[in-house]
Structure formats: C-alpha cells, structure tokens
Amino acid sequence: MNVTINVNGEDRVLDVTGHESLLSVLRNDLELPGTKDACEQGECGSCTVVFDGEAVCSCLVMAADADGSSVTTVEGVSADGELHPVQEAMLAKGAVQCGFCTPGIVVAGSHFLETNPHPSEPEIREALSGNICRCTGYGAILRAFETVTGEGS
Amino acid sequence: MDFIAAHDLDEALAAKAHQPDALLLAGGTDLMVEINLAHHRPSSVLSLRRVEELQELTAGRIGAGVTWARLERNGHRGLAQAARTVGSPQIRAAGTIGGNVATASPAGDGLPWIIAAEASIEVQSKERGIRTIPWNEFFVGVKRTSLAADEIITAVVVPEDVPIAQEFAKVGARNAMVISTVSCVVIRGDDGFRVALGSVATTPMRATRAEEMINAESTISDSVLDEFAHIVSEEVRPITDHRSTEGYRRHAAGVLARRLVERSLR
C-alpha cells in the first residue's frame, strides 16, 4: 500500500508492504539515518521523533499506520543550517560521548522545551527518562539543558 | 499484510466483524514490540488511532483510545498516579488505556485502579452491540480476557460514586521504564478501604480478606496496620520470575498496601 508521510516539512510517498516500523522506513527508504535503531522495544529512546505533535518512539509506530501524519526527525530540528539551542548547548557542555543517544535526546528535549521552556531540574530528568545514554553521560546532558533553560551557566 | 485504518467506530466494528482475526493496533507500545522481535507476524491489522469515538475522557467514561499522557493530566487521582509511572514520556504519549486492558498483563499499570474503582469494561461488536462487562468478569487469566473475537474495547466505565481518596504506588528497579514488581491501589470510601494489587497473581486482584479485616476495625492503629499488611502478604499469589521472587513480592505487597492506606488517611 502507498502511504504519504510529511517528513521534516516535505511529503514523501512510500510503498509499505509489511509490518515495518516508521523507524525502518525513515532510515532505509528515506535515507534519514539520524534517527537511531537500537532496542526496537521502546526502551531506549534513541529512535525518538515528533509524530503528529508528540515525541514518540518511531520503532513503535507501524509505517502503514503513519499515512497522513507529519514527522520531525533530528534532521528537521535545526533550520537553515543553524543548530537548535539544545544542540549548541550539548556541544558546549560536552554532552556527547559516543553520540548514539544524542539524536533521540535532541528530539525529545527540544520538543519538551517547547511546552515547558523553564523546567526545574527534576522536570528535565523526567522529560529525558525515556532516553538511555549507555555512556552514562547524564550529568553533562543535564548541565547542557540547564544552560538552554537559563538555570545553568 | 492486510492493513485497515478505521476512521470511525462503525467502520472499525464492520472491519472486525468481517475479519475477527485482525489484530487491533492503538498506541503500538505492546503490539509493535512483538512484531519487531518477530514473535508475531499478524496477517491483518486494524488501526484504531483515528477513531474519534474512542477519545472521550470524562469522569464517568474513559475512551479506550485515551493515552497515558492525557490520563496523567486529567485522570482520576489514582489512575493519574498510575499513568505517570507507565514507561517514559514517549510511551505515555502513545500507549492507551484500552491497550492496557486488552493486553491484560498481570503487571498492567492501569488495571489495579480499574478493579479498585469497580469500573466496567465496555466492549462493542457489530453483531451484538454494546456489552458492559464488570471488572471481576473481564480479566480471566494471564493476558486472557472475556473479549470475543469480533469485539472491540470501547471504554472503561467508571461508577459515579467512586471515592476521591485514591492512592497508587508500584515497586520496580527504577522510576522510569519499568514493569512493576508489585503495584497497588487503595481507594478509601464511606464503606471502607478497597485494596487492589498487580503483578502478584495471574490477573490483577482484590485483597478481599485484608479488606474485610481492616474494614471491621473502628480505629486504624499500628497493630491493625501490621495485621492488615500481614494478611495482604498471605493473600497474594505471586510467582518467582526474572523480575523478582515470590517472597519479595509478598513482602512488598504488604508494605505497599499498608503505606497506601496510611496515605489515603492523610
């Protein structure tokens, strides 16, 4: 079946035949490898995208069910070659180690700050609780978010 | 694979009547895990995500398509507390209460509240219309319910007089992204305490012996609470599995139930 998905502002038409996830078509058919594929169980958050206005795990969205929806991936977070403030802050605070969790954290975190621009530290922790960093670099990630929200320095 | 995206309830019921073996897809947080791990390759899938009738959320009626994220903000107190412990923000934005009810895991985070609130599960089919199944007749075993093949869960129906003193808690290895080791809901009303537990039996269960004991007491003293916790621990029927042991679950069930009774009195 043909599905049309608006990805980062552009309508893309795909032929979906089986049970593949949105994650799979983003990476394999649309060649957008920024969204990472790790656990495929919704546990790790590395495949987080904004799907019809909600940050979700793209591995848990059936591609066939995404017809008519709009999706923002990490490739769509920055605009006109300018990094998003979350990306700038993560660079400045050394919040990237192996980098595998980074796209998911950028998408989940930037989406969260749109609805809650001045969160407390526990709110940031809770907002990022679905994103696992196996380098365990949570301290630097938290400090990066605090500089975006004006709490840190 | 056959894929059907229903746009309203009539369309969904007609599709389910025509293809009773179609698997229902809502938030995808259970079904897609099974599919990704290749445990399951359904030949047909019926998506309910676009069905407006399943999105209703009022005090008396929780549409099956209501997500945990919405319940966290607008649910009854005990259910909102439970919703906040489901998965992560990503999971709560997608997963629905109808999916939790349909999956009927012993560890389903929303289920102890449903049985403590004495809510009913409303299901519909094209053939037989609406059936409202009482809480104590719906969950019949591990991931088994009394839903018929041509039926769709449409809502959780909450009694008007559900007391507002409600407390939920669960025990797990961390705060986020955890399947409960034991979960518990206590609801305190004029008729006394209701105590429901998850992950301690094949289905979510009421601790009826412990309820009878504590509801016969006029004063809730420390010794009454000790005895109450002891009966809860005896009454649950947990197993040892990869997440915990029978003994720990018995202990934690008593501790949680006692703690929630105390919280409900504050």
Side-chain angles (χ1 to χ4, degrees):
Chain A
M1 65 182 281
N2 270 348
V3 300
T4 305
I5 309 174
N6 186 291
V7 181
N8 299 329
E10 197 184 324
D11 276 347
R12 310 291 293 264
V13 181
L14 292 155
D15 183 25
V16 172
T17 52
H19 304 87
E20 61 265 46
S21 63
L22 175 62
L23 168 64
S24 159
V25 302
L26 287 172
R27 288 179 60 84
N28 302 326
D29 300 326
L30 299 179
E31 297 181 341
L32 292 168
T35 305
K36 297 302 177 216
D37 181 353
C39 76
E40 292 190 278
Q41 301 176 51
E43 294 266 353
C44 75
S46 65
C47 70
T48 302
V49 299
V50 178
F51 176 71
D52 285 345
E54 303 277 0
V56 303
C57 296
S58 59
C59 71
L60 301 182
V61 177
M62 193 177 274
D65 201 26
D67 188 34
S69 62
S70 76
V71 174
T72 304
T73 70
V74 70
E75 289 90 346
V77 168
S78 55
D80 306 324
E82 293 281 314
L83 291 182
H84 187 279
V86 166
Q87 292 170 312
E88 292 278 10
M90 287 184 75
L91 274 175
K93 291 291 169 184
V96 178
Q97 291 186 58
C98 87
F100 205 84
C101 72
T102 308
I105 287 178
V106 167
V107 174
S110 58
H111 177 74
F112 166 66
L113 294 180
E114 275 174 28
T115 50
N116 190 350
H118 301 289
S120 63
E121 189 205 285
E123 285 172 335
I124 299 170
R125 286 178 183 273
E126 191 164 345
L128 297 178
S129 61
N131 293 81
I132 292 175
C133 168
R134 277 306 65 158
C135 307
T136 70
Y138 297 107
I141 294 168
L142 196 58
R143 286 192 290 279
F145 275 81
E146 285 174 342
T147 61
V148 181
T149 61
E151 302 293 313
S153 55
Chain B
M1 180 191 70
D2 264 356
F3 184 84
I4 311 143
H7 293 86
D8 59 37
L9 189 57
D10 282 346
E11 211 175 292
L13 294 174
K16 193 71 171 122
H18 181 64
Q19 274 178 286
D21 64 333
L23 281 188
L24 300 177
L25 173 65
T29 56
D30 281 331
L31 181 59
M32 284 302 286
V33 174
E34 297 276 298
I35 289 174
N36 289 342
L37 301 182
H39 292 152
H40 217 43
R41 291 285 174 193
S43 55
S44 58
V45 170
L46 169 57
S47 167
L48 302 174
R49 199 163 65 81
R50 296 160 182 82
V51 177
E52 198 63 39
E53 291 98 320
L54 303 180
Q55 299 300 325
E56 183 185 347
L57 175 57
T58 62
R61 202 179 143 83
I62 306 166
V66 172
T67 61
W68 299 113
R70 290 178 66 197
L71 289 171
E72 199 181 340
R73 295 188 298 263
N74 296 310
H76 289 270
R77 178 181 167 86
L79 186 58
Q81 290 173 338
R84 192 173 168 208
T85 74
V86 174
S88 63
Q90 287 93 322
I91 301 299
R92 299 198 283 276
T96 65
I97 187 146
N100 204 234
V101 168
T103 296
S105 159
D109 285 314
L111 310 185
W113 184 84
I114 288 173
I115 69 170
E118 305 192 336
S120 301
I121 309 302
E122 183 195 276
V123 307
Q124 292 195 39
S125 64
K126 192 178 175 199
E127 187 85 358
R128 297 180 305 288
I130 297 178
R131 275 206 304 153
T132 304
I133 307 173
W135 60 278
N136 51 356
E137 292 171 18
F138 188 80
F139 303 103
V140 298
V142 175
K143 299 192 173 183
R144 287 196 303 122
T145 71
S146 48
L147 187 73
D150 64 341
E151 286 175 327
I152 292 173
I153 296 167
T154 45
V156 173
V157 180
V158 185
E160 226 170 80
D161 58 353
V162 63
I164 57 168
Q166 308 175 0
E167 298 293 337
F168 167 92
K170 80 181 188 189
V171 174
R174 59 179 282 230
N175 279 341
M177 253 1 276
V178 76
I179 294 172
S180 74
T181 300
V182 177
S183 63
C184 185
V185 167
V186 166
I187 293 183
R188 179 176 59 80
D190 295 338
D191 55 346
F193 295 95
R194 303 180 200 164
V195 182
L197 296 118
S199 298
V200 291
T202 54
T203 62
M205 64 174 282
R206 287 279 288 270
T208 46
R209 273 177 48 214
E211 288 178 3
E212 278 167 28
M213 176 262 151
I214 198 168
N215 291 336
E217 300 288 340
S218 49
T219 313
I220 309 301
S221 63
D222 267 357
S223 62
V224 165
L225 286 168
D226 287 345
E227 174 67 6
F228 166 76
H230 179 71
I231 295 174
V232 171
S233 292
E234 274 190 349
E235 190 171 5
V236 293
R237 299 182 299 277
I239 57 166
T240 295
D241 64 10
H242 60 291
R243 271 194 284 276
S244 189
T245 62
E246 178 195 336
Y248 178 79
R249 285 190 165 108
R250 285 192 186 278
H251 174 74
V255 171
L256 272 188
R258 175 190 174 133
R259 194 174 291 169
L260 295 183
V261 164
E262 291 178 300
R263 274 186 203 166
S264 79
L265 290 167
R266 277 182 210 147

